[in-house]
Amino acid sequence: QVQLVESGGGLVQAGGSLRLSCAASGSITSINIMAWYRQAPGKQRELVASIPTGASTIYADSVNGRFTISRDNAGNTVFLQMNSLRPEDTAVYYCNVHARTTFWKIYWGQGTQVTVSS
């Protein structure tokens, strides 16, 4: 089994910055992709950014140039640096990991609230 522990959400004024972290632990043998999704009230969950192992990062158009996704050297922790935050970035942010223990499976974090005030 894989556990995802998220941290770093909070309340910030527009123009400010936050850094989210998500640490994956458990009997992981390989990770294919780590990503961040978000879901605002009344809206569908959407991809914010993803970082595949050995491939280029992908960003939603709405955050490109403002957010940066990265992984630590061990590859089991993913970060989302969020700069120039806007009120429309307000959402619950979820960590998403495609990992293998004995088989491949997608795992979700519990979510962390990000609120940007105007």
Side-chain angles (χ1 to χ4, degrees):
Q1 192 58 279
V2 174
Q3 295 79 41
L4 302 179
V5 178
E6 301 171 2
S7 61
L11 173 64
V12 65
Q13 287 189 331
S17 298
L18 284 173
R19 180 177 169 90
L20 305 183
S21 299
C22 173
S25 63
S27 304
I28 298 171
T29 57
S30 185
I31 292 178
N32 182 24
I33 298 174
M34 302 187 84
W36 289 94
Y37 285 73
R38 69 185 180 187
Q39 187 167 20
K43 295 189 177 181
Q44 289 189 333
R45 191 172 296 189
E46 63 176 358
L47 175 67
V48 176
S50 67
I51 183 166
T53 299
S56 300
T57 55
I58 296 172
Y59 293 95
D61 289 344
S62 58
V63 307
N64 199 18
R66 300 187 297 121
F67 291 9
T68 302
I69 189 170
S70 61
R71 286 166 67 172
D72 68 345
N73 288 337
N76 285 6
T77 300
V78 62
F79 306 96
L80 185 68
Q81 178 66 43
M82 304 184 293
N83 299 328
S84 302
L85 282 160
R86 305 167 180 168
E88 53 263 39
D89 294 319
T90 296
V92 178
Y93 284 70
Y94 296 92
C95 177
N96 170 283
V97 175
H98 186 214
R100 181 178 63 191
T101 53
T102 55
F103 54 90
W104 287 100
K105 184 179 176 180
I106 293 174
Y107 298 89
W108 289 92
Q110 78 280 5
T112 184
Q113 177 70 47
V114 171
T115 303
V116 184
S117 62
S118 57

